Amino acid sequence: MKFEWFIGIDVSKEVLDFNVLDLSGNNFHHQVSNTKSGINSFLIRCKKANVNLERSLFCLEHTGLYNEQLVAILSAKQLSVWVEQGLQVKRSLGMQRGKTDQVDAYRLSEYAFRFQDKCRLWKAPSASLKQLKHLTALRNRLIKAKKLLKTPVNELTRCGADKKAGKLIKQLNDPILLQIEQQLLAVEKQIKQVIQQDERLLELEQLITSVDGIGPVTAWEMIILTNQFQTITEGRKFACYAGVVPFDHQSGSSVKGRPRVSPFANKHMKQLLHLSALSATVMKGELNTYYQRKVAEGKNKMLVLNNIRNKIILRVFACVNQNRKYEKSYTPTLA
């Protein structure tokens, strides 16, 4: 679609700043509350200004919870929405000075105009996937809270500097930890129910967990991050997103560094994949054999583990794209 208007939206908790830019460079700014009525009032303002919303590209940064209502309303009206990473926008516009909500909205509209040929329109997740996303986020928060409470008590008990105080703190802490454990079990039970009730989510979980090393938690995160493998459909792209792909580091004749992974990655996903790779190295199978062989050859263990993470990703995407479980004893046949 050829767009004629480019609408940048700076999202905050309380307000939304819109900047409407046309092909001639004319623009106007409008601020509304981050509510359903506020968003609808802006759309009415656009119609009065003869802005064709169907020929408009709405561009905003990913801000999580604060942009969900806005994206839902625009998607329900079948308008073109582009949700972009903030760092991508910041780096693409070169050196910038100053920052206000109004300026940020203008920069987003300018970004949409300059890079409209590279836009990736938003695909709304299903209701089940939204529920899964919120439940897994709650699970992660409970795990962090458990660690935050448990670690200091264990350290205090281990050091033994004040055994009486350590015993008292442990007695006060244990009921809270027990309650968190019960909440974790309840959340995980609810997650399983959501997956069982959605045929596609259940199918994806079964396909992903058929790969050696992959457990349910990693499978849930992969399903969420790829929007059920609709926004990221290639294993190589997901491997890059998860930070397991090494990139060359060379320049001229003086800089000749080793290939290394980029720090721009989803660190939580990378951590889960690392645990999956460790799990695969102790299981009987091809990945375990590969790990033992490469280590025996003198390869760095972390390098081999990173290769296994990459292999796991490629196998998962192959299983999903071919809609079949991983076959450990698969033998390729000649055509």
Side-chain angles (χ1 to χ4, degrees), residues 161-177:
D162 190 345
K163 292 185 178 180
K164 186 176 180 180
K167 187 177 180 180
L168 176 62
I169 297 298
K170 189 174 185 303
Q171 288 177 349
L172 294 171
N173 210 37
D174 283 349
I176 303 173
L177 289 173

Side-chain angles (χ1 to χ4, degrees), residues 42 151 177 213 291 304:
F42 168 73
T151 302
L177 289 173
Y291 178 78
V304 180

Side-chain angles (χ1 to χ4, degrees), residues 87 91 240-243 245 247 260-267 270:
L87 184 61
R91 295 210 163 198
C240 181
Y241 173 75
V245 177
F247 292 91
R260 49 188 171 184
V261 297
S262 171
F264 301 116
N266 186 313
K267 301 298 176 61
K270 187 175 183 179

Side-chain angles (χ1 to χ4, degrees), residues 101-155:
D101 293 343
Q102 183 174 346
V103 169
D104 286 345
Y106 174 78
R107 288 171 181 168
L108 282 165
S109 61
E110 184 184 22
Y111 176 84
F113 170 69
R114 291 176 59 187
F115 300 102
Q116 56 183 296
D117 57 320
K118 296 182 179 180
C119 77
R120 292 169 294 178
L121 296 182
W122 171 259
K123 292 183 180 179
S126 64
S128 297
L129 187 63
K130 282 185 180 179
Q131 197 172 2
L132 177 63
K133 180 180 178 181
H134 292 309
L135 287 170
T136 53
L138 174 59
R139 180 183 178 276
N140 291 335
R141 290 195 295 271
L142 288 171
I143 290 174
K144 287 181 181 178
K146 178 183 172 183
K147 183 178 179 181
L148 184 66
L149 290 171
K150 193 173 183 179
T151 302
V153 176
N154 289 342
E155 291 298 309

